[in-house]
Amino acid sequence: MQHRSEVEAADALKVAYEQIRAEIGKVIVGQDEVIKFVLISIFSNGHCLLVGVPGLAKTLLVQTVARVLDLDFKRIQFTPDLMPSDIIGSEILGEDRNFKFIPGPVFSNIILADEINRTPPKTQAALLEAMQEKAVTAAGVTHKLAKPFFVLATQNPIEQEGTYPLPEAQLDRFMFNVALSYPTFKEELQVVKNTTGTIDVAVNKQLNAEQIIYFQQLVRNIPVADNVLEYAVKLVGKTRPEGEFATPQVKRLLNWGAGPRASQFLILGAKCHAVLNGKYSPDIEDVRAVAKPILSHRIVRSYHAEADGLSAADIIESLF
């Protein structure tokens, strides 16, 4: 996939994004913000955590994205008895009396980790290692994963009995933490119309793996002005109660702030958001547009914030 210039390539990414949104919209009603952040995380080579009650089309969304992008897709249902080998694969004794590696479902382009908090930490860690290293190690041999590689994990925010909440260090591996809300009355009406009849909607493939890898590199190549870089790093610094930029309000409302990975993701996300909106370099508005889903799972609220009824999003909003 060749373009005469990066400006032309950026324009091509914007057009492709709009076509992808249109194709996904044939199947998924509403959820515009969720779709936007899922696509930004794919083009930024990140991963996404979706938090929402059952029945909000999380699985259908990921399946549709995989079909539109012409990528391999695997769904892993996380359960308390799931073992690391069920995800990464295992070695078996072949007919020739030699051990051979049988790849698990993680060897795919898009992985849906359904209810990731339902499986013990040992199995969570196996997937999260694959997310970070883009490779798995079995019997001392490292196996590279397919490119592009994207994990979309889901969590049910209601039922916490018998779950294993992801530790902060593992939550930090996810670029975005996106909350799904219930559809509006009109959206739900459309969903019911679409899903209770005999109509089977076909979606058209818009990109392939090679083109996505190209666009991921393009996003990294986008220039960023120093004032935007400083704004992003300072915004993350404001979340740290012991940091030099912390306000008295932050010291009262937060116990822990975001780490350096948040600054990296803010810039990557802002670059991608800028291109998808027809700009060739991000500005402060692009940083703000991606800040909430990037920072919300990286800050730890104090009991003061909980007593005041302030969500992570409310606190982040106050930092702008």
Side-chain angles (χ1 to χ4, degrees):
M1 184 180 187
Q2 294 297 322
H3 293 282
R4 282 174 296 185
S5 68
E6 290 194 340
V7 168
E8 191 180 284
D11 291 337
L13 175 53
K14 182 178 186 292
V15 170
Y17 169 72
E18 286 165 357
Q19 291 170 338
I20 291 164
R21 289 285 296 259
E23 289 299 317
I24 294 171
K26 292 179 182 177
V27 179
I28 304 294
V29 178
Q31 304 291 12
D32 292 336
E33 283 281 288
V34 178
I35 294 167
K36 178 179 81 173
F37 289 128
V38 167
L39 292 174
I40 287 176
S41 59
I42 290 175
F43 289 124
S44 302
N45 201 13
H47 305 285
C48 203
L49 181 65
L50 289 186
V51 180
V53 297
L56 294 181
K58 296 187 289 289
T59 305
L60 182 60
L61 169 62
V62 188
Q63 286 175 332
T64 306
V65 169
R67 280 160 59 199
V68 173
L69 298 180
D70 195 18
L71 296 173
D72 290 332
F73 165 73
K74 292 282 192 310
R75 177 177 181 266
I76 306 170
Q77 182 64 52
F78 279 68
T79 56
D81 60 349
L82 198 73
M83 298 293 289
S85 58
D86 296 327
I87 295 174
I88 65 173
S90 56
E91 292 224 319
I92 64 165
L93 191 62
E95 293 174 0
D96 58 356
R97 293 290 174 186
N98 289 320
F99 282 99
K100 60 178 179 180
F101 180 69
I102 304 298
V106 78
F107 286 86
S108 192
N109 295 122
I110 294 186
I111 307 295
L112 174 61
D114 224 346
E115 297 198 89
I116 192 171
N117 57 334
R118 290 224 163 271
T119 205
K122 185 178 181 181
T123 308
Q124 290 173 351
L127 176 68
L128 291 155
E129 180 193 0
M131 287 166 54
Q132 185 67 16
E133 310 303 331
K134 306 287 170 76
V136 298
T137 303
V141 180
T142 299
H143 305 270
K144 290 283 182 188
L145 297 176
K147 287 183 178 182
F149 178 68
F150 172 64
V151 172
L152 198 147
T154 69
Q155 282 191 177
N156 178 351
I158 300 173
E159 204 173 13
Q160 298 303 322
E161 194 173 323
T163 63
Y164 304 85
L166 286 173
E168 300 301 324
Q170 294 187 353
L171 275 175
D172 197 43
R173 306 275 172 93
F174 289 97
M175 180 174 185
F176 289 126
N177 178 11
V178 185
L180 279 83
S181 55
Y182 287 112
T184 64
F185 174 74
K186 283 186 178 177
E187 288 171 349
E188 192 161 349
L189 206 58
Q190 190 63 46
V191 168
V192 174
K193 278 183 186 175
N194 292 355
T195 56
T196 54
T198 56
I199 300 168
D200 187 22
V201 179
V203 295
N204 300 312
K205 294 169 182 171
Q206 296 298 326
L207 292 178
N208 58 34
E210 188 183 342
Q211 290 170 313
I212 292 164
I213 293 166
Y214 174 84
F215 283 135
Q216 286 176 340
Q217 190 57 48
L218 172 73
V219 166
R220 283 194 164 264
N221 289 345
I222 288 166
V224 185
D226 285 347
N227 70 309
V228 178
L229 273 170
E230 287 166 12
Y231 179 82
V233 175
K234 193 171 181 178
L235 181 62
V236 173
K238 284 180 183 177
T239 67
R240 299 169 186 159
E242 303 302 319
E244 58 183 303
F245 300 116
T247 63
Q249 184 190 26
V250 163
K251 291 177 179 178
R252 179 175 174 272
L253 297 178
L254 295 180
N255 287 336
W256 292 98
R261 198 178 269 144
S263 302
Q264 294 167 335
F265 281 141
L266 275 179
I267 291 300
L268 273 176
K271 285 181 175 187
C272 191
H273 188 272
V275 173
L276 301 184
N277 285 278
K279 293 183 276 189
Y280 304 119
S281 181
D283 55 28
I284 286 170
E285 285 307 310
D286 293 304
V287 175
R288 289 179 178 173
V290 297
K292 287 180 187 176
I294 287 175
L295 294 175
S296 61
H297 58 301
R298 292 183 164 88
I299 59 176
V300 179
R301 293 177 299 152
S302 70
Y303 70 92
H304 293 295
E306 293 183 24
D308 293 349
L310 292 172
S311 66
D314 295 328
I315 297 168
I316 295 161
E317 181 81 39
S318 72
L319 302 178
F320 292 163

